[in-house]
Amino acid sequence: MKHRPLRIAYGRLFHEANAFSPSVTTLDDFERMHLLEGDALARAVTLRGEELKSFMPHAELTGFQQAMNLSRGEIVTVPLTSALAVPSGPITRECFDLLTARLLDGIEAALPLDGVYLALHGSMQVQGLAEAPEANLLRRVRALVGSSVKVAVSYDLHANLSPGLVDPVDVLVAYRTNPHWDLAPTGYRAGTRLLRAIRGEIRAVHVFRKLPMVLGGGTTIDFVAPMNRVFRAMKRMEKDPAVVSASLFMVHPYTSAERLGWAAHVCTDGDLALAEKLADELADRAWEMRKVDLPAMRSPAEAIGEVRGGAWRRLGPVTLVDVDDIVGAGAPGGNTHIVKALAASAGDLLAYVPVHDPALVEALWSAPLGTTHAVTVRGTPDYHMPEVPLEVTLVARTEGDFGRTVRLDAGGDKHGLRLVACERAPLPIHPSFWRAVGLEPRRADIIVQKNFFHYRMFYAALSFRHIPVVSAGATSLRRVREQRYDVPMHPQQVLADWR
Ligand SMILES: [Zn+2]
């Protein structure tokens, strides 16, 4: 007997919101980064395609399509809409309504379906929407497809898990790496589990535990202590055939969402008692991690002193990580605190600094190269940063991923500040960021980064000392510590138990 092929639709709505950023995220930001649908999406999620251009060629949807290809001929996949923007301020209501309408219209047009897979983040925020945006979307997806269609989701491990993100779905998986390299394997895992659910091979039972903690786990890198033990425990749990998935969520703390906090999630095949037991066990392990604080941080002046006094800079540039202005966690990139400190007291060092300052770029864009200007660096508009007056020479200009970009030199030929001012949030993860404006990274004493980890892969042979620097900005941990929460929260309060 010949069965009709299964029909499974797939799509994405992915954004990490930073409620402390003065920027908002609009449709333009998605269009610039990643917005595909229909045939273009289907082509992008093949092994020859490029799913997230210039970021990650194979991500969740490619992994998902690979899982479907294992049953070639038995499954028809239907591409919906896939949208992703760089982490930034909350999404406008108009943009969210438009993107969700496209997804829902796509699902409606694709009916009848056997399954739907959506790659989501879990820490989105939408202006004027109190409900978690993912919960809003999933509620409407479920209403549209009815109870018999199986719905799978994958989340970033920085999702803020809540009933609205769990209850409407049959399959729930999350990234297992931090930094996140496993987008494609995550989509693959979602796909294989969705197929089992559709074929009636599993009866998914979900349990999750919410932890009243927003910080902990040290650097939270999955393969180093202390978090490596927790990630290993999760993988061990999944070896049991009765366990469908086990996931840990170390929340993105820079949103104003309700019931913010870490979470442990376990899904089993019909065994509620086992799911409860393992979710408790995973929550206990994660809760222990609250005792491990972040590595020691320096003020800008302390960091400059350390570079000057230390031997590291003879081996290569010392990286100052601008912890309070992490663009990958939604900060706008226009923090000027480090610029101010370097201008004041690092005239004997050669420092490369990226800064988001669209007004500065606009003012100098048409000026002849080689001309000198008295400027004031203000950073991101409405970010309330210190104003830094500087005498600069316009040395180079370029236009690329970060919009219009100018290189401004202050100080002497061999020392001083090399400011790379960008129209959009700068992310010098790759050394080519500097080379595009004629700066050789190897020659610098100091390079400022707006990113915690990813850049290290590309600077592995260049920079051997990395100093986290604190000031004030959209990713300030001080804000996380001082934020008002609706429940007692670690690290604000000393809490003995997560229950
Ligand atoms: Zn994340």
Side-chain angles (χ1 to χ4, degrees):
M1 189 178 95
K2 183 134 174 50
H3 296 276
R4 77 166 175 87
L6 297 175
R7 281 176 64 79
I8 306 180
Y10 63 93
R12 169 191 281 117
L13 181 49
F14 195 99
H15 185 250
E16 184 176 82
N18 186 311
F20 307 127
S21 167
S23 309
V24 291
T25 302
T26 65
L27 189 63
D28 196 39
D29 296 301
F30 285 93
E31 280 171 342
R32 194 182 303 124
M33 185 68 194
H34 170 84
L35 182 57
L36 292 173
E37 46 191 13
D39 291 343
L41 177 58
R43 277 194 302 276
V45 302
T46 62
L47 288 181
R48 283 194 196 153
E50 239 199 318
E51 186 178 342
L52 302 177
K53 237 190 175 80
S54 77
F55 169 56
M56 200 169 274
H58 303 320
E60 292 96 324
L61 301 181
T62 308
F64 166 79
Q65 184 62 50
Q66 287 304 303
M68 299 302 109
N69 288 352
L70 296 178
S71 311
R72 208 182 283 274
E74 295 168 42
I75 299 168
V76 173
T77 54
V78 183
L80 301 166
T81 299
S82 177
L84 177 145
V86 175
S88 178
I91 300 174
T92 62
R93 186 66 199 247
E94 186 189 10
C95 171
F96 177 71
D97 287 347
L98 195 134
L99 291 174
T100 46
R102 281 199 200 172
L103 271 174
L104 293 164
D105 289 351
I107 291 171
E108 193 167 16
L111 291 171
L113 287 166
D114 298 286
V116 176
Y117 165 53
L118 295 175
L120 306 175
H121 186 289
S123 281
M124 283 206 298
Q125 247 183 309
V126 173
Q127 290 184 320
L129 183 69
E131 186 181 18
E134 288 89 348
N136 178 289
L137 172 64
L138 290 171
R139 188 166 47 72
R140 292 156 69 193
V141 168
R142 180 54 82 193
L144 187 60
V145 301
S147 56
S148 59
V149 174
K150 302 298 179 190
V151 176
V153 288
S154 59
Y155 293 121
D156 187 293
L157 62 69
H158 293 108
N160 183 42
L161 217 59
S162 63
L165 269 65
V166 180
D167 295 346
V169 307
D170 300 285
V171 170
L172 187 165
V173 296
Y175 298 161
R176 283 283 180 72
T177 57
N178 190 39
H180 315 319
W181 307 114
D182 63 334
L183 278 60
T186 302
Y188 186 89
R189 291 170 64 229
T192 53
R193 284 151 180 79
L194 177 59
L195 278 183
R196 289 170 67 197
I198 292 171
R199 289 170 173 154
E201 294 164 11
I202 50 169
R203 194 170 60 81
V205 174
H206 297 264
V207 172
F208 78 96
R209 303 291 188 229
K210 198 79 192 182
L211 305 172
M213 68 189 271
V214 283
L215 290 178
T219 58
T220 68
I221 297 176
D222 65 288
F223 54 86
V224 300
M227 288 311 302
N228 55 352
R229 292 197 300 277
V230 185
F231 281 86
R232 276 204 299 266
M234 251 187 301
K235 285 177 191 152
R236 271 202 306 278
M237 286 176 184
E238 271 192 15
K239 290 219 168 92
D240 182 342
V243 177
V244 179
S245 65
S247 311
L248 175 73
F249 296 92
M250 307 184 286
V251 75
H252 171 71
Y254 309 109
T255 76
S256 51
E258 286 173 13
R259 286 309 308 273
L260 206 64
W262 285 33
H265 172 271
V266 174
C267 175
T268 62
D269 178 12
D271 192 337
L272 179 62
L274 179 65
E276 303 258 7
K277 176 178 157 274
L278 294 180
D280 282 341
E281 192 184 313
L282 190 52
D284 284 337
R285 281 182 183 276
W287 183 239
E288 276 303 293
M289 296 298 125
R290 76 192 185 285
K291 296 169 184 165
V292 186
D293 213 345
L294 280 156
M297 312 252 174
R298 306 268 183 271
S299 71
E302 286 167 351
I304 292 165
E306 200 173 315
V307 175
R308 184 181 287 122
W312 286 106
R313 76 180 159 111
R314 273 182 240 135
L315 300 176
V318 175
T319 303
L320 305 192
V321 177
D322 191 352
V323 172
D324 292 45
D325 196 36
I326 299 294
V327 170
N335 181 9
T336 63
H337 287 94
I338 297 179
V339 180
K340 188 181 171 192
L342 289 167
S345 67
D348 58 323
L349 299 169
L350 182 61
Y352 297 180
V353 191
V355 67
H356 174 235
D357 194 330
L360 186 58
V361 174
E362 173 64 29
L364 295 180
W365 185 248
S366 309
L369 293 180
T371 51
T372 300
H373 305 264
V375 299
T376 303
V377 185
R378 294 189 175 86
T380 304
D382 304 320
Y383 202 21
H384 311 297
M385 286 293 151
E387 298 191 348
V388 188
L390 281 178
E391 176 126 328
V392 297
T393 303
L394 175 65
V395 177
R397 72 176 123 242
T398 180
E399 198 161 2
D401 288 350
F402 312 101
R404 296 185 296 171
T405 297
V406 293
R407 168 182 159 192
L408 307 172
D409 289 12
D413 277 352
K414 294 206 165 62
H415 303 111
L417 208 51
R418 303 292 179 263
L419 198 65
V420 180
C422 303
E423 204 174 16
R424 293 201 281 273
L427 209 47
I429 283 179
H430 198 279
S432 61
F433 176 89
W434 309 109
R435 292 183 183 130
V437 287
L439 290 170
E440 173 46 47
R442 215 171 288 277
R443 291 190 49 219
D445 296 307
I446 289 172
I447 291 180
V448 173
Q449 282 290 347
K450 306 270 181 190
N451 167 266
F452 271 124
F453 315 111
H454 281 73
Y455 76 91
R456 291 201 192 194
M457 202 170 94
F458 302 105
Y459 289 79
L462 265 174
S463 179
F464 305 96
R465 171 84 180 126
H466 310 268
I467 306 176
V469 180
V470 284
S471 52
T475 52
S476 286
L477 292 163
R478 193 169 45 80
R479 290 207 192 201
V480 173
R481 292 197 168 94
E482 289 168 2
Q483 167 100 328
R484 286 168 61 93
Y485 297 102
D486 43 13
V487 292
M489 186 72 73
H490 171 84
Q492 282 179 355
Q493 266 106 1
V494 178
L495 301 166
D497 198 353
W498 58 265
R499 288 171 177 81

